Amino acid sequence: MARCEFSQLSRDEPCCPLSRRGRLCLGLALLVLILSAAVLLVALTRSPTPTPEALAWNGTGSTRNLFAIVLGRCYTYTQLLRPGLGSEACPKILDAFKSAFISKNPCDIMKEDYQPLVDLVNQTVPCNKSLFWSKSKELAHQYSWVQGGMFTLEDTLLGYLADDLTWCGDPSSVEPNYQSCPRWNECLNHTGSVFWKVISQKFAESACGVVQVMLNGSLSKPFHKSSTFGSVELFSLDPRKVHTLQAWVMHDIRGNYSDSCSGPSIRELESIVNKRNITFTCQNNYRPARLVQCVKNIEHSSCASKI
Amino acid sequence: MASPGRAPWRLPLLALLLLLPLGRAADAGWGGEGSSPRLQSIFLGRCAEYITLLSPQPGDKNCTAIWEAFRVVLDKDPCSVLPSDYDLFINLSRHPIPRDKSLFWENNHLLVAGYSENTRRFMPLCDVLYGRVGDFLSWCRQKNASGLDYQSCPTSEDCENNAVDSYWKRASMQYSRDSSGVIYVMLNGSEPKGAYPIKGFFADFEIPYLQKDKVTQIEIWVMHEIGGPNVPVKLLMCVDHSTHPDCAFASSAMAAAERGAPPRSTAHSSTLLAALLVALASGSQM
């Protein structure tokens, strides 16, 4: 750029007596300035290119720190809780978990999306140790924790990794959607529901011997055909491996007792089970599980008389 | 949780004899379990899980910073780690303990974990953030090199100032200081050396730090294998042994428990209990 030199002024002379070259220089500078201002103005006032926004859903978003939790749980399970599965697979398990849903529309998830994850984990529950549950999660978990040898779905590795967590992806991002995820009723096959269906099926398929199911006798229908147990697990039991299904119908300690085992809901379950060539037995308020309930309700008369 | 074993080496006998003096020096390990593999991942995962899912307060904790404060001990000589080395770690991870929910124990870790129901019923030390991250884990630096020793770590018999013991001492001190209201103590009455270990964590690092002006009452339960008076916990044990005669105890005993009668104790543990009560009365600080 040409140096614009200004000669010294005297008070009586007109301002800025520039040479012709100086004027040209100044003019150029001004022109550049105006052009830049114009470009800037256009750039700012133009509507910004829309950055893709994540889809919005009605349910809570993905659990914060999702991947740190899942990886930590994987190591805890394989090293401390049930050694024997090998913790070297944990980073691969995390990757397979991510690839099932990252950058995908959470309502377009298919069973095949979780296949790589399922293929990595080869875990069989010992015979006679599978404990299914329907509408009785808390008690079933307390019972399996205290009893030690039984496995609910959430006592298997994949169930343990995901229990109580929420996760879903978004087509516009490589991150989980932490803002919102679909609720159960927003779309049929969403990230969470497909996962639980896939592993529930596998859990039931690999069961053998006598299997147990804990049902909630305080509901009008302890057995419901539309529950995960009624629609997925029951029909995935293999009659060549499973010879008996024991139902434990647990009533809320503070509620009314009713003989649920002879009620219509359980009889429906019984007929389905028998049609599949599996023996069915039923107990109201299976005693060891009842004792677990009594721990929290020690003053209740039902606990005093029971024991 | 077995410590990682070493594969047996097959060497010609002569070579073995020659190497024996050297081999013994090289193989001289500590008496305790080696460092837990993937310690950092487990630590961070547990921290994240605690502040996201379990914490009674919204998570304002920074798990990375907590880990960084913790890991300074991994650079120290395995027999030179003091409880005070965990001060920053404790400061970053401490949080209030709800009143009347403190549960101290000796020699019955699994029962306590089952009974506490993941902070809902009680909050023992393993359900507090600074106790949760280290629960069932082991860690120590190698003797003469940096990096973790995965073969073995010192126990209290090897040296007093080892990383894991100092951790639990420091965590226990903090837990006691932050406890308030009714304090529950669960002791194992079937422990052959006695329900109240005179030299134990409870005696040395918890009782002395209980705050007299915050603690209103101390309730002691002495648990036996199946018999024993504490009904809720006994019920838990009965789940596994529901046909045991002790699990069908008379309703009068039940009623007595409900009325809050003081727990009975066997002759063996009563003298030790007296010692415990004396310690509690004189030991808790202002």
Side-chain angles (χ1 to χ4, degrees):
Chain A
M1 198 165 163
R3 267 174 54 206
C4 305
E5 286 176 332
F6 292 89
S7 49
Q8 260 191 327
L9 297 175
S10 76
R11 220 170 285 174
D12 294 330
E13 291 181 21
C15 186
C16 314
L18 293 171
S19 64
R20 198 189 138 129
R21 197 158 155 221
R23 279 201 294 268
L24 203 61
C25 194
L26 189 63
L28 267 169
L30 271 172
L31 191 63
V32 170
L33 203 65
I34 290 168
L35 276 172
S36 316
V39 169
L40 203 64
L41 197 68
V42 170
L44 283 176
T45 52
R46 223 178 84 178
S47 51
T49 19
T51 47
E53 268 183 27
L55 301 164
W57 308 98
N58 286 335
T60 42
S62 302
T63 309
R64 280 185 298 128
N65 307 306
L66 176 70
F67 298 138
I69 293 174
V70 170
L71 190 62
R73 282 181 176 185
C74 187
Y75 286 130
T76 293
Y77 189 98
T78 53
Q79 286 176 201
L80 302 175
L81 292 179
R82 295 187 203 273
L85 277 179
S87 60
E88 328 76 48
C90 284
K92 285 192 232 128
I93 289 172
L94 181 64
D95 280 341
F97 175 68
K98 282 185 193 175
S99 68
F101 69 96
I102 287 293
S103 299
K104 299 182 185 171
N105 186 318
C107 282
D108 281 342
I109 302 295
M110 297 173 298
K111 284 186 180 183
E112 290 71 31
D113 289 319
Y114 285 107
Q115 202 56 48
L117 174 63
V118 168
D119 288 342
L120 271 176
V121 180
N122 197 2
Q123 181 179 24
T124 40
V125 174
C127 284
N128 311 321
K129 298 295 181 191
S130 302
L131 174 59
F132 297 88
W133 56 266
S134 188
K135 310 284 188 275
S136 56
K137 178 177 173 180
E138 206 178 293
L139 182 59
H141 285 176
Q142 281 167 9
Y143 177 76
S144 78
W145 167 264
V146 174
Q147 216 275 353
M150 306 220 73
F151 285 76
T152 62
L153 177 60
E154 295 75 19
D155 293 315
T156 65
L157 173 58
L158 290 178
Y160 183 82
L161 294 183
D163 196 21
D164 290 335
L165 301 183
T166 306
W167 66 96
C168 67
D170 188 270
S172 68
S173 166
V174 296
E175 293 293 321
N177 185 342
Y178 294 106
Q179 306 308 314
S180 63
C181 283
R183 256 219 203 115
W184 287 90
N185 47 13
E186 274 187 87
C187 52
L188 193 60
N189 291 324
H190 68 87
T191 327
S193 65
V194 173
F195 173 82
W196 290 110
K197 266 195 209 119
V198 166
I199 68 168
S200 296
Q201 184 174 335
K202 190 136 190 275
F203 180 62
E205 279 167 358
S206 64
C208 58
V210 180
V211 303
Q212 281 77 214
V213 59
M214 189 179 287
L215 301 170
N216 188 339
S218 296
L219 298 174
S220 54
K221 284 184 97 180
F223 169 70
H224 219 290
K225 279 199 350 208
S226 59
S227 64
T228 307
F229 172 69
S231 62
V232 176
E233 290 170 328
L234 188 55
F235 294 97
S236 303
L237 295 174
D238 183 352
R240 294 166 301 179
K241 297 195 296 186
V242 174
H243 56 77
T244 305
L245 172 74
Q246 274 183 354
W248 299 333
V249 187
M250 305 304 302
H251 297 83
D252 185 358
I253 264 204
R254 286 152 301 185
N256 294 323
Y257 175 82
S258 58
D259 180 10
S260 300
C261 280
S262 44
S265 173
I266 298 299
R267 280 215 289 247
E268 184 186 16
L269 170 62
E270 177 172 17
S271 84
I272 296 174
V273 171
N274 286 333
K275 271 204 202 83
R276 304 204 67 224
N277 278 336
I278 299 173
T279 310
F280 178 79
T281 70
C282 182
Q283 281 185 63
N284 287 306
N285 294 321
Y286 176 63
R287 193 178 143 82
R290 181 57 134 189
L291 291 171
V292 174
Q293 286 177 306
C294 278
V295 172
K296 274 212 268 202
N297 297 276
I298 195 64
E299 304 86 21
H300 197 271
S301 55
S302 158
C303 291
S305 60
K306 269 279 168 201
I307 44 173
Chain B
M1 286 183 306
S3 53
R6 270 189 292 253
W9 293 91
R10 292 206 191 98
L11 291 172
L13 188 60
L14 186 62
L16 186 64
L17 286 172
L18 286 172
L19 284 172
L20 201 56
L22 292 172
R24 250 219 306 232
D27 282 352
W30 304 112
E33 205 180 308
S35 301
S36 306
R38 314 289 193 287
L39 179 69
Q40 180 175 358
S41 291
I42 296 179
F43 185 105
L44 289 172
R46 283 177 176 181
C47 182
E49 186 165 6
Y50 193 93
I51 65 178
T52 308
L53 299 174
L54 291 171
S55 172
Q57 259 98 27
D60 58 342
K61 305 269 182 248
N62 179 341
C63 286
T64 311
I66 293 172
W67 164 256
E68 291 300 323
F70 171 87
R71 69 168 306 289
V72 297
V73 308
L74 304 179
D75 294 327
K76 295 189 157 231
D77 180 282
C79 283
S80 305
V81 181
L82 301 169
S84 55
D85 290 333
Y86 291 100
D87 281 350
L88 178 60
F89 158 73
I90 291 287
N91 277 337
L92 291 177
S93 56
R94 66 183 281 211
H95 58 83
I97 298 165
R99 206 177 159 78
D100 303 334
K101 279 211 168 176
S102 293
L103 176 58
F104 295 83
W105 56 271
E106 278 286 352
N107 295 321
N108 45 23
H109 191 173
L110 290 175
L111 184 60
V112 165
Y115 187 52
S116 70
E117 237 188 284
N118 235 8
T119 82
R120 268 179 299 188
R121 203 200 317 272
F122 284 104
M123 193 183 280
L125 178 52
C126 50
D127 283 342
V128 173
L129 176 56
Y130 48 82
R132 171 66 66 102
V133 289
D135 203 22
F136 287 115
L137 299 179
S138 174
W139 58 92
C140 65
R141 198 202 72 183
Q142 292 180 62
K143 233 193 290 206
N144 292 317
S146 65
L148 293 180
D149 187 341
Y150 292 101
Q151 304 305 312
S152 62
C153 282
T155 62
S156 51
E157 274 151 24
D158 293 314
C159 56
E160 186 188 339
N161 294 327
N162 66 75
V164 174
D165 281 347
S166 295
Y167 169 90
W168 289 113
K169 285 173 189 170
R170 185 64 185 86
S172 300
M173 284 153 56
Q174 193 62 46
Y175 182 68
S176 297
R177 282 209 189 102
D178 290 344
S179 294
S180 62
V182 182
I183 307 285
Y184 298 90
V185 184
M186 195 188 286
L187 302 177
N188 185 347
S190 301
E191 169 58 49
K193 298 191 227 140
Y196 172 56
I198 305 252
K199 298 292 304 158
F201 271 94
F202 184 54
D204 295 332
F205 296 98
E206 289 171 339
I207 294 179
Y209 294 92
L210 291 171
Q211 303 292 295
K212 243 202 292 210
D213 55 343
K214 294 202 295 185
V215 173
T216 56
Q217 188 181 308
I218 298 183
E219 206 170 289
I220 304 165
W221 302 332
V222 183
M223 305 311 306
H224 300 267
E225 280 308 316
I226 279 281
N230 182 285
V231 180
V233 185
K234 179 176 163 174
L235 287 173
L236 265 185
M237 294 192 283
C238 278
V239 172
D240 260 346
H241 309 273
S242 54
T243 50
H244 193 283
D246 277 358
C247 292
F249 42 88
S251 51
S252 60
M254 279 277 325
E258 287 175 45
R259 283 196 303 268
R264 286 174 284 125
S265 55
T266 63
H268 175 62
S269 43
S270 60
T271 38
L272 291 169
L273 269 182
L276 168 60
L277 291 167
V278 168
L280 285 168
S282 57
S284 24
Q285 290 182 346
M286 268 302 212

